[in-house]
Every structure is written in C-alpha cells, then in structure tokens.
Amino acid sequence: MIIWLPSYPKSGNTWVRAFVTAYLYGQNGQFNFKLLNKIGEFPDHTILGRFMDSKNFHNLGEVSKHWIKVQELINSNNKNTFLKTHSSLCNINGNLFTNSETALAFIYVVRDPRNVALSMSNHFGITQEKSFDIISNERYIIYPSVGNQIIPSTLVGSWSNHCSSWKNCKSINKIIIKYEDLINNTESTFGKIINFLAKYTEVKYDEEKLINSINSTKFDNLKKLEDKHGFNMGQKNKFFHLGEKNDWKTLLDTKISSKINNKFKIEMKELGYN
C-alpha cells in the first residue's frame, strides 16, 4: 500500500525524502541524489496517462476522477510504495485524493509559515508579498510542465487548509513532523519516523544506519552535493539555500510576518508557532 510523504511546498519534504531513501535504499545509510528517484511524486503523469488524455492534465476536475484508480494500480504490485505529494488531502467533486483503502500511512511535514514564505521567495525568485499571496490562497493550484510535457495539476491550497486537511485525518495512520524539530532534535525526530514505519511495515530500527542516514543528509552535505552535481527542482536560485539560517525573525519583512500571524493565528497556535 501507499505511504505518503505530504507537505506544503518548501516545508522540508525533500530533506525527509532524502533521509528515508538513504535509510531504506542507501548503502548503510549513505545518500546520493539518485536515491530520490526511489520515491516518486504523485500524481505520476506516466501512470495517469493510462486513464486520460495528457492534454487534460491541467484540468484538475478531470485529474481528480482518476486519483484512486492510479493508486489502486500502484498497489497492484502488493508492495509498500512511498510517494511524495504537495497536494492537500482534498475532495474535488466527490473524488477523494486518497483513502484508507489505498493508503497505509503518511508522514506529514509541517513548517512555520513565516519561514515557508521566506523559502518560497528564494525558490521562485519572487517577492515576500507574492509568497504571502500564494500561501494564503485557498485555490492555489500548481500547473507544472517539463518542456512540452504537461504534468498533472495539484491542488495545494493555503498553508492552513493544507495542514488541517492532513493533520485532522483520522482514517489513515499518521505522524506529524515539524521541520523545526528536525533541526533542533534531529536524531530523536528522525528516529520517530523510523519507529513509526516499523509499526506498519517491515522497516527495522537500526541505530548505526539511522546515524549514518542523518549525517549523509545534513544540510551542508546536501548543499555540497548540489554545488557539485546540480539539483533542479524548478527553482530560480540554489535549492539548498539557507537551511536553518532561513530565519523569519531577521529576514522576513515585519509587514509580511504580521499578515501571516493574523491570517493563520489559529493553526499557528495549535502547532506552537507563536
């Protein structure tokens, strides 16, 4: 069955994906960028193309009709499959993004929206004001393409709705991971992820492999790998930019931080983002 790695964009999903692939597929926890291919992104255009014409991939209503069908096909291999997504846990015209029949579990990564806005500003080369507009947009939809290839659209929505949709899910096994805990309590937080997976899969907790996976996916190492080999995720600037130095307290315009505080005060309080 599917094990999801969902997150709002620029919330640490790639870091968690790097760690998980290093632990599961790397030689004794050693990471390289090729391992990221072990965890695909959903929806996958090659599989979705079996169910609909690719020219309609940016029609979210049409795409949503096939979400569960694609997941059922993925599950037909009778194996656990890890998938990354930036989609909210939404329902479009009665079509659920996923359900307990196709999903075994998910690891949701959440990050302080003030730092999300900062990171998004650098990633896309846009103003902080524009970043705020994006993370507060309930109808924020990604319409990706690679060259002439249209990639299926994804309903992301606002930061608060995205978080709530996954956090409040009660039908699928879940663990909520804060990006800030990955930074401040790295070993124990990544250990929680492995222990969580061990409850529902054949993954085993291995202390040595855990430490090696953490060390090989540290920010400085990922940055060095990007400098040496490149890492293109559609960004304008370097993907691994500031890491934990991406601090809204010193880098975010006070007007923008105030807007974010007011817009998301309920959800931020629930998550301890005061």
Side-chain angles (χ1 to χ4, degrees):
M1 293 181 73
I2 294 169
I3 301 169
W4 294 103
L5 297 181
S7 77
Y8 201 80
K10 308 311 300 175
S11 294
N13 184 292
T14 299
W15 187 9
V16 172
R17 193 158 51 112
F19 166 79
V20 170
T21 55
Y23 189 93
L24 296 182
Y25 310 114
Q27 185 173 359
N28 199 28
Q30 296 306 308
F31 174 76
N32 64 72
F33 281 144
K34 290 182 180 179
L35 290 177
L36 291 177
N37 296 326
K38 296 285 188 178
I39 298 181
E41 187 161 2
F42 187 90
D44 182 288
H45 68 278
T46 56
I47 301 178
L48 186 61
R50 301 186 190 185
F51 296 94
M52 61 180 292
D53 194 318
S54 62
K55 70 181 182 180
N56 293 320
F57 277 179
H58 282 182
N59 183 329
L60 194 58
E62 289 299 310
V63 170
S64 70
K65 294 177 182 179
H66 306 288
W67 282 335
I68 300 300
K69 295 177 186 176
V70 171
Q71 292 169 41
E72 289 173 343
L73 181 59
I74 291 171
N75 285 334
S76 65
N77 63 10
N78 294 316
K79 297 178 180 179
N80 289 327
T81 302
F82 288 84
L83 290 175
K84 165 194 172 180
T85 188
H86 287 313
S87 177
S88 62
L89 188 53
C90 55
N91 180 328
I92 296 180
N93 300 327
N95 301 308
L96 295 173
F97 177 75
T98 191
N99 58 38
S100 59
E101 295 179 359
T102 59
L104 173 63
F106 65 83
I107 302 165
Y108 186 78
V109 188
V110 63
R111 187 182 192 184
D112 189 316
R114 293 163 293 196
N115 280 329
V116 170
L118 263 182
S119 185
M120 189 173 286
S121 177
N122 173 74
H123 184 91
F124 293 117
I126 58 179
T127 64
Q128 294 180 9
E129 182 71 42
K130 180 61 176 176
S131 290
F132 170 75
D133 290 342
I134 290 174
I135 69 173
S136 59
N137 182 2
E138 309 294 353
R139 298 290 301 169
Y140 175 40
I141 301 172
I142 298 174
Y143 296 102
S145 61
V146 178
N148 294 324
Q149 175 65 58
I150 300 174
I151 307 299
S153 55
T154 296
L155 175 59
V156 179
S158 69
W159 177 86
S160 57
N161 276 5
H162 195 284
C163 292
S164 296
S165 70
W166 288 97
K167 183 168 66 71
N168 296 333
C169 176
K170 293 180 171 58
S171 61
I172 304 171
N173 303 310
K174 66 184 176 185
I175 185 171
I176 310 298
I177 297 295
K178 292 174 69 174
Y179 178 87
E180 294 75 19
D181 289 337
L182 292 173
I183 293 175
N184 298 321
N185 303 292
T186 305
E187 184 176 339
S188 63
T189 305
F190 278 121
K192 286 179 181 178
I193 292 175
I194 298 304
N195 282 323
F196 173 76
L197 293 175
K199 287 175 62 177
Y200 304 107
T201 71
E202 296 180 354
V203 172
K204 305 295 184 184
Y205 185 93
D206 183 310
E207 184 74 22
E208 181 182 1
K209 190 186 291 185
L210 174 71
I211 299 301
N212 289 343
S213 300
I214 289 171
N215 287 335
S216 68
T217 57
K218 284 183 176 178
F219 179 80
D220 287 344
N221 189 50
L222 295 176
K223 197 172 188 304
K224 288 177 183 177
L225 288 174
E226 181 180 17
D227 290 341
K228 183 176 181 179
H229 302 291
F231 186 63
N232 184 10
M233 294 291 287
Q235 73 273 16
K236 293 289 186 180
N237 302 306
K238 286 293 183 75
F239 186 89
F240 299 102
H241 177 51
L242 291 175
E244 61 187 85
K245 296 177 182 177
N246 187 82
D247 187 359
W248 68 268
K249 295 184 183 73
T250 57
L251 298 175
L252 189 64
D253 187 295
T254 55
K255 293 180 181 178
I256 303 300
S257 62
S258 293
K259 283 186 175 184
I260 292 174
N261 291 340
N262 291 331
K263 179 72 175 178
F264 304 131
K265 59 184 178 183
I266 296 175
E267 294 79 14
M268 290 175 67
K269 184 177 181 179
E270 289 177 353
L271 291 163
Y273 293 133
N274 302 319

